[in-house]
Amino acid sequence: MGHGRTALRASAAGAVSAALLAGSAVGLAPAAEAAPSVRFVDITGDGGTVLKANVLTPGGADGSRRYPLIVLPTSWGLPQVEYLAQAQKLADSGYVVLTYNVRGFWQSGGRIEVAGPPDTADASKVIDWALAHTPADPEHIGMAGVSYGAGISLLTAARDKRVKAVAALSGWADLIDSIYSGRTQHLQAAAVLDGAATLTGRESPELRAIFDNLYSSNLSKEQEMIDWGRKRSATTYVDQLNKNGAAVMLANAWGDTVFPANQYASFYERLTVPKRLELRPGDHATPELTGLFGLPNDVWTDTRRWFDHYLAGADNGVAREQPVRLKSRGAGEYEGYPDWKSVTATRRKLALTGSPTIHANVDSSADGGIVFLSSILDQVAQLPPTASLPLLPRRWAAVWQSERYGAAQRVRGTATLHTTLTPTRESGTLIAYLYDVGPLGIGKLVTHAPFTWHGRTPGEPFAVDLDLFSTAYDVPAGHRLALVVDTVDPLYAEHNPSGAQLTFSSPSDDPSYVSVPLGEQ
């Protein structure tokens, strides 16, 4: 079993590497006329750890004026040249840009701490170095990054009040809600992270133990894992982040299989600083990918506009735009909303009637897809995972369908499931899927989410309330929505004992339903 896990981690690491590499007045410095200068430097981080970095200074900088500073921590498993194309563009626009390889990866020293205190201390040391060795302005400092760099940037802004603006791209705000949502281990996502760390870095003993406990579903270590994740989640420090006042831009993909969009949306609602939320089609870090090669890219364009306003003082309209920007997974333009609640303001409940019983331990063929691959296909070709609803074996899957819609419908936001479940074992796992079903019964996956329970009394019913992953999806006229529930999905750990059965019911005093943020186009 250990050999298989190693192979899975290695394969996943290859997938993530391929997916991510397939890449006068203060604060108002004009765009550089000469090419920026580039230096590769060593920076002493927390505890003397050496961090490999590169710094770009605007062309023609002679020490007579200061420039806004942008610090870019690298993504998980990627080298310091990751942001070179974007750093060049930012330096051309009059920024000092410093990108560094986070501790534990590639040539930087130390071990991987997963955005722990040493990582945020490193970021502050990097800022110290930049202020001492470049014409960076101490009053105009920003941080940005993709994935791991996004998480470190948010956490640093909560702890270092010198950071005035952040762009957190494809990152996390709640680490546990990302890889352990619904009390279910996201095995493929964990394997991607573990595999990339094994191949490109040096895991700390603490991180190795976390991965091992995650794979083994060690319940005795569950609280320890949760506490570990909370220390590394910006949502834990949201009050301090709000107090420090850094302007925060959050960007993510609807199909992110490492850091689902839900946790960013929830975090966004708690922010009281200047803020922006952008959600697009894609998987983990794929919306930003083309920008890493210097190609036109909406995410990086908006990141530069964010910094231009909140660091360089440009009146570019960012502060007057709708702060929530969404792009549907189908064709269409960006949609603007004043807040996240407005996205999901219109809802419809689909009744889940009857009392179906399903057997566990067998995959019904309703699945959330394959990490990276499925959501990338959805991003570039509108081909999400599919299932034939008429052929789903009712022994292994419970199925409910709506009536056909006479007009096209828009799903925007977070669908929620409420039902009463009676299991025959004390532990178990279910996965709920929402499908767009066409005239031939072929369902395209709209959204899904896993749910796990432990310590329940067999035969005793209990209520299940589950948020499905947030999305933006357009349902054509003449189609219907369907909710499917089964017990096995390769994306997740399964906790169903052999022979377990699940019965869903809808008591008259507590009817079952799925509430969908649905409205006509």
Side-chain angles (χ1 to χ4, degrees):
M1 183 173 178
H3 175 75
R5 198 160 59 232
T6 300
L8 178 59
R9 293 201 301 265
S11 174
V16 73
S17 297
L20 292 179
L21 285 174
S24 82
V26 167
L28 292 173
E33 295 180 359
S37 64
V38 183
R39 288 186 290 153
F40 288 84
V41 299
D42 290 350
I43 298 176
T44 301
D46 185 56
T49 297
V50 175
L51 306 173
K52 297 294 183 177
N54 60 69
V55 58
L56 284 78
T57 305
D62 56 8
S64 63
R65 63 173 179 257
R66 294 284 179 175
Y67 298 85
L69 168 67
I70 297 177
V71 175
L72 302 169
T74 52
S75 300
W76 187 273
L78 293 187
Q80 69 191 66
V81 295
E82 172 189 6
Y83 302 117
L84 199 55
Q86 289 301 321
Q88 175 83 40
K89 292 184 177 184
L90 288 165
D92 282 340
S93 299
Y95 293 92
V96 173
V97 186
L98 195 155
T99 177
Y100 71 97
N101 229 103
V102 293
R103 67 168 53 222
F105 284 103
W106 294 90
Q107 289 83 20
S108 285
R111 294 187 176 274
I112 303 168
E113 301 290 344
V114 194
D119 289 300
T120 53
D122 283 346
S124 292
K125 292 284 189 181
V126 168
I127 292 172
D128 293 341
W129 186 94
L131 295 178
H133 296 89
T134 74
D137 175 13
E139 300 301 319
H140 296 81
I141 298 173
M143 290 189 69
V146 176
S147 185
Y148 195 36
I152 291 175
S153 295
L154 279 175
L155 288 163
T156 302
R159 299 183 180 188
D160 191 331
K161 61 183 179 181
R162 293 177 297 178
V163 179
K164 304 302 183 185
V166 173
L169 317 177
S170 289
W172 77 92
D174 189 327
L175 191 57
I176 292 302
D177 199 35
S178 295
I179 62 173
Y180 194 56
S181 69
R183 209 178 176 187
T184 309
Q185 294 89 341
H186 295 210
L187 286 185
Q188 287 190 17
V192 164
L193 298 174
D194 191 5
T198 301
L199 292 179
T200 65
R202 300 165 300 283
E203 295 178 346
S204 67
E206 184 181 33
L207 175 57
R208 183 68 262 150
I210 290 293
F211 276 129
D212 289 343
N213 290 332
L214 191 75
Y215 294 135
S216 65
S217 302
N218 189 342
L219 289 179
S220 67
K221 297 290 185 178
E222 182 180 49
Q223 190 58 50
E224 179 181 319
M225 182 179 68
I226 291 172
D227 292 342
W228 174 88
R230 283 176 177 162
K231 291 178 182 177
R232 291 158 170 82
S233 298
T235 189
T236 302
Y237 311 102
V238 68
D239 291 341
Q240 190 60 43
L241 189 58
N242 286 331
K243 180 180 178 181
N244 287 350
V248 176
M249 172 181 155
L250 305 170
N252 207 349
W254 294 119
D256 196 317
T257 45
V258 180
F259 303 130
N262 288 44
Q263 44 91 38
Y264 253 10
S266 299
F267 178 65
Y268 175 85
E269 290 187 293
R270 297 180 61 194
L271 290 172
T272 58
V273 297
K275 59 185 179 178
R276 185 180 183 98
L277 176 65
E278 300 187 352
L279 296 169
R280 301 172 172 85
D283 204 313
H284 184 62
T286 62
E288 300 87 5
L289 183 59
T290 56
L292 296 180
F293 298 103
L295 300 174
N297 182 276
D298 290 351
V299 186
W300 287 105
T301 295
D302 288 348
T303 295
R304 289 196 299 276
R305 294 181 66 235
W306 190 252
F307 286 136
D308 285 347
H309 180 70
Y310 287 103
L311 293 185
D315 184 11
N316 57 10
V318 162
R320 296 186 295 274
E321 294 171 356
Q322 296 276 40
V324 177
R325 281 185 91 218
L326 312 180
K327 191 171 187 179
S328 170
R329 288 159 50 195
E333 301 297 323
Y334 284 97
E335 303 164 7
Y337 298 85
D339 49 44
W340 179 250
K341 291 180 180 179
S342 298
V343 176
T344 61
T346 303
R347 307 189 70 92
R348 296 186 194 175
K349 286 185 178 181
L350 309 180
L352 307 180
T353 58
S355 299
T357 296
I358 62 173
H359 295 250
N361 313 121
V362 174
D363 190 344
S364 71
S365 79
D367 289 322
I370 300 172
V371 65
F372 285 119
L373 178 61
S374 297
S375 290
I376 291 175
L377 285 173
D378 188 31
Q379 177 184 0
V380 301
Q382 287 79 57
L383 293 175
T386 61
S388 173
L389 274 291
L391 298 181
L392 285 178
R394 275 24 178 199
R395 178 179 177 84
W396 314 113
V399 180
W400 297 267
Q401 296 191 68
S402 72
E403 297 297 322
R404 286 190 177 88
Y405 297 108
Q409 306 290 311
R410 304 193 326 168
V411 179
R412 298 290 186 272
T414 309
T416 59
L417 167 66
H418 173 76
T419 189
T420 298
L421 173 64
T422 304
T424 60
R425 300 288 193 274
E426 66 173 14
S427 296
T429 298
L430 63 82
I431 305 93
Y433 309 89
L434 187 67
Y435 284 100
D436 159 26
V437 184
L440 300 180
I442 301 299
K444 294 183 177 181
L445 187 63
V446 177
T447 181
H448 76 287
F451 180 82
T452 293
W453 63 93
H454 297 286
R456 292 290 178 175
T457 301
E460 184 174 308
F462 66 94
V464 172
D465 289 285
L466 175 64
D467 286 347
L468 279 61
F469 298 139
S470 303
T471 195
Y473 184 95
D474 300 323
V475 181
H479 286 215
R480 65 179 82 207
L481 289 174
L483 183 79
V484 175
V485 180
D486 71 1
T487 62
V488 177
D489 190 309
L491 286 172
Y492 309 108
E494 180 196 358
H495 296 269
N496 297 294
S498 179
Q501 298 179 32
L502 311 180
T503 298
F504 301 91
S505 58
S506 183
S508 58
D509 60 343
D510 187 22
S512 295
Y513 60 84
V514 57
S515 175
V516 183
L518 194 66
E520 289 190 5
Q521 287 187 322

